[in-house]
Amino acid sequence: MRKPNLSNTKPAKVLAPAKDLATLEAELAEQEDHLEDTVLRLSDYLSAVEMVIKQTFDHRVWVKAEIRNLSSKGGHYYFELAEKDEEGKVVASCRGNLWRFKAARVLAKFERATGMPLERDLTVLLKVSAGFHAQYGFSITIEDIDPSYTLGDLARQYAEMVDRLTGEGLLQLNQQLPAPFDIEHVLVIAPEKAAGLGDFQADADRLASTGACQFHYHHATFQGNHAPSEIRQAIVSAQQQFQDTYQHLPDLLVIIRGGGAVGDLAYLNDYELAALVAEQPVPVWVGIGHERDKVILDEVAHSSFDTPSKVIAAISSHLAQLVTQTLHYQAQIKQAAQRQLNIAEQQTARQLSQMQSRTIGQLTALQKDSDYAWHSIQQSAQRQVKQAARLTTELHTQTQTLAHQQLASAHNYSSIYQKTIMQSAQQQLIQAQRDSAHLRDIVLLHRPSRVLKQGYTMLTDDKDKQILTSSTQLYPEQTIHIVLKDGKAKAQIIDVSSERKATEISETPTEPHNNI
């Protein structure tokens, strides 16, 4: 259809709002030849659309949709509904209204059946009727909500999550970890100030007071759409913080909730959270706080308990069993050691008796051998002593002769070395006297009193504790002393040049001092 020519001087015929669809069709048929030149008011056109929608969709139908957003005002509930394809792309969307006079009944029925409030991201089955308003556009009016469909959809999502975790080998991954032998450090993830946490912590504190176990608490919210991400963040940060502090992994990770509405459990059925729990390198024990209802964390955890109190009871039982086993093993070791000691004592007594019998005979034989050896040693020693005496006399004579020769040679060398040292010392002494006289003259030429008499001055700080020699030691409004040959003056710095130019100072004369 070509765009109508609005510049035509011929007045355009304006259609009056039709009373019904048949009348509108009849009028349009009569004006079919002139339709391209006909201009409708927007309200007329939208009224026609409203009429078509009312007559075509005047009955109620059940529609499946996902709640993308939900708000309430004055008892009315306003929905943003959508349909997504398999890739999660929105393929259809519209507004929905649940009016106040039906909202209380419909929402109460939904919460009683599902145990959870109606919130965004839920897939629901709605009984709706279509509506169109010329000012507000298209929307659907919600007459009823089928809670059984939502329960079935949640169950389907839960089953799909279990199948995915199973297919990826995550469902029983944490359960394959061995149970901790000793539970010394426990990371606890729980909602802050929750009743279940209080019950858990009361027993945990008593256990920690004995020194048997230490508990490290980290908090996250366990309800609302952001609960899974907060719990994941708490788990990651808790593990990292513990690793940085202790340089090893904790013995156990505990996730507890305790109390709260049954509907809040749905927030914990999150794949990313379940996968993170399954992949933990330490056993994960969960106590969500409901005996009949399970969440996906119960499926992937190493051990699952009904309540937080049962989790701490299991930890206490494990430690008690460990102590019992230790005492039992200690008793067994003590008994086995005592048996071994008794056997060893009997064997030692027998061996001692046998050794005593053999030793007496061996001692007798050794005594005879010893007497014979002693006699032989005496004879050999006497011969060696006589030979050593002769050798000693000869060596003594040789040593004396050699010593006299070395003494004479050392005496001659010592006399020559002494004369050389004396000559060198006299030369060094003369040179040192010359150097001292030269340094004395230099010091006298540069002594402060002589320099000040030549017209120079010396700058010191206001307490005369530091001599100022550089412009970097000066700053504006600084008080300094100018030392002259016959006194000193107090001055204040006005400006300091960064290019080592003359420094402007304002001098304030003071009483001259006798000392410089």
Side-chain angles (χ1 to χ4, degrees):
M1 179 183 294
R2 64 183 178 85
K3 184 177 179 180
N5 184 7
L6 300 180
S7 62
N8 193 351
T9 56
K10 182 180 179 180
K13 183 176 182 180
V14 179
L15 293 178
K19 297 181 179 180
D20 52 36
L21 182 61
T23 305
L24 179 60
E25 290 177 348
E27 293 183 0
L28 289 176
E30 294 176 359
Q31 301 295 333
E32 184 175 359
D33 296 336
H34 307 287
L35 187 59
E36 293 183 353
D37 296 328
T38 300
V39 177
L40 296 175
R41 292 196 304 267
L42 178 62
S43 59
D44 295 337
Y45 183 75
L46 294 180
S47 296
V49 173
E50 180 181 5
M51 184 183 304
V52 171
I53 292 177
K54 283 183 177 181
Q55 293 188 4
T56 306
F57 300 96
D58 60 346
H59 54 282
R60 297 175 177 85
V61 296
W62 288 96
V63 174
K64 179 181 72 172
E66 178 183 325
I67 302 176
R68 296 187 63 190
N69 201 359
L70 177 62
S71 61
S72 174
K73 183 177 181 181
H76 304 296
Y77 287 81
Y78 303 97
F79 294 72
E80 289 185 16
L81 303 173
E83 177 187 350
K84 297 180 180 178
D85 58 15
E86 295 179 354
E87 298 179 354
K89 182 180 179 181
V90 176
V91 297
S93 63
C94 72
R95 294 182 296 107
N97 305 311
L98 177 58
W99 304 121
R100 179 174 53 195
F101 62 90
K102 289 185 178 180
R105 176 183 59 81
V106 171
L107 296 180
K109 182 182 70 171
F110 183 86
E111 292 184 11
R112 282 196 308 270
T114 62
M116 61 186 300
L118 189 67
E119 292 187 350
R120 57 181 300 179
D121 297 330
L122 287 179
T123 301
V124 291
L125 186 62
L126 307 171
K127 189 175 184 180
V128 301
S129 59
F132 184 86
H133 191 278
Q135 184 175 357
Y136 302 109
F138 179 82
S139 65
I140 59 177
T141 301
I142 299 173
E143 307 290 341
D144 197 3
I145 302 176
D146 186 359
S148 61
Y149 178 85
T150 301
L151 287 174
D153 185 69
L154 293 175
R156 178 188 56 79
Q157 294 178 10
Y158 188 92
E160 290 177 351
M161 199 179 306
V162 171
D163 292 341
R164 181 179 178 184
L165 292 169
T166 303
E168 295 176 356
L170 297 176
L171 190 66
Q172 297 180 347
L173 181 62
N174 195 260
Q175 298 169 11
Q176 296 172 359
L177 296 175
F181 173 74
D182 183 19
I183 301 178
E184 183 180 359
H185 293 280
V186 179
L187 291 183
V188 181
I189 310 296
E192 189 174 8
K193 298 180 181 180
L197 176 61
D199 298 338
F200 178 95
Q201 197 165 6
D203 293 335
D205 291 343
R206 285 193 292 269
L207 191 60
S209 64
T210 64
C213 189
Q214 297 184 39
F215 295 87
H216 310 271
Y217 295 93
H218 297 266
H219 302 293
T221 182
F222 274 57
Q223 62 184 28
N225 294 322
H226 53 286
S229 61
E230 286 197 19
I231 298 174
R232 293 199 306 270
Q233 183 178 359
I235 292 174
V236 173
S237 61
Q239 288 278 30
Q240 185 63 49
Q241 182 178 343
F242 185 89
Q243 182 75 23
D244 294 341
T245 303
Y246 295 94
Q247 305 303 316
H248 63 83
L249 294 173
D251 302 296
L252 192 65
L253 173 62
V254 170
I255 302 175
I256 56 176
R257 187 190 75 135
V262 177
D264 295 339
L265 297 175
Y267 299 115
L268 304 181
N269 290 326
D270 180 80
Y271 168 78
E272 298 296 337
L273 176 59
L276 178 64
V277 170
E279 293 173 343
Q280 289 304 299
V282 298
V284 180
W285 290 6
V286 298
I288 301 303
H290 283 277
E291 298 181 358
R292 293 178 299 174
D293 301 290
K294 293 182 64 176
V295 296
I296 196 66
L297 298 185
D298 295 313
E299 304 281 356
V300 299
H302 183 275
S303 298
S304 175
F305 301 88
D306 298 337
T307 62
S309 298
K310 291 185 179 181
V311 177
I312 189 62
I315 295 175
S316 301
S317 176
H318 181 88
L319 293 175
Q321 184 179 2
L322 180 63
V323 172
T324 302
Q325 289 179 349
T326 303
L327 294 175
H328 177 66
Y329 293 149
Q330 181 181 4
Q332 289 182 339
I333 294 172
K334 185 176 181 181
Q335 293 175 0
Q338 187 62 45
R339 287 194 299 269
Q340 294 294 331
L341 287 174
N342 294 336
I343 296 173
E345 185 177 358
Q346 295 173 1
Q347 292 177 348
T348 301
R350 289 193 299 268
Q351 292 174 356
L352 179 60
S353 177
Q354 295 173 358
M355 291 176 62
Q356 286 177 344
S357 300
R358 290 195 300 266
T359 302
I360 292 174
Q362 292 174 353
L363 286 175
T364 302
L366 288 173
Q367 183 66 37
K368 294 178 180 179
D369 295 340
S370 178
D371 293 340
Y372 176 77
W374 174 251
H375 181 69
S376 300
I377 290 172
Q378 282 182 333
Q379 293 177 352
S380 177
Q382 289 174 357
R383 290 193 299 269
Q384 291 178 358
V385 168
K386 291 179 181 179
Q387 186 179 359
R390 290 194 300 269
L391 293 174
T392 300
T393 302
E394 294 176 358
L395 290 173
H396 183 265
T397 303
Q398 294 176 1
T399 302
Q400 283 183 336
T401 302
L402 183 61
H404 287 307
Q405 293 174 357
Q406 291 179 351
L407 284 173
S409 176
H411 179 72
N412 294 333
Y413 178 76
S414 177
S415 299
I416 296 172
Y417 187 67
Q418 183 179 9
K419 291 179 182 179
T420 304
I421 291 175
M422 290 296 294
Q423 292 176 359
S424 176
Q426 289 176 356
Q427 293 175 358
Q428 292 179 359
L429 182 60
I430 294 171
Q431 184 63 37
Q433 289 176 347
R434 293 175 181 172
D435 294 341
S436 297
H438 179 68
L439 292 174
R440 181 196 60 195
D441 294 341
I442 293 175
V443 169
L444 292 175
L445 287 173
H446 291 85
R447 67 184 186 274
S449 59
R450 186 176 182 278
V451 173
L452 293 177
K453 287 180 180 180
Q454 292 178 353
Y456 293 99
T457 61
M458 181 170 59
L459 302 182
T460 64
D461 59 6
D462 57 347
K463 296 182 179 179
D464 294 330
K465 292 183 177 180
Q466 183 180 10
I467 298 176
L468 307 176
T469 60
S470 172
S471 62
T472 60
Q473 296 176 279
L474 302 178
Y475 55 87
E477 299 183 2
Q478 177 186 10
T479 301
I480 63 172
H481 288 163
I482 303 175
V483 181
L484 306 170
K485 69 178 182 177
D486 55 353
K488 68 178 181 180
K490 182 185 293 185
Q492 187 176 28
I493 300 300
I494 296 177
D495 186 23
V496 178
S497 174
S498 61
E499 298 178 355
R500 296 187 176 179
K501 294 181 180 180
T503 303
E504 297 180 6
I505 60 174
S506 175
E507 296 185 357
T508 305
T510 60
E511 293 296 328
H513 291 265
N514 295 328
N515 298 327
I516 297 178

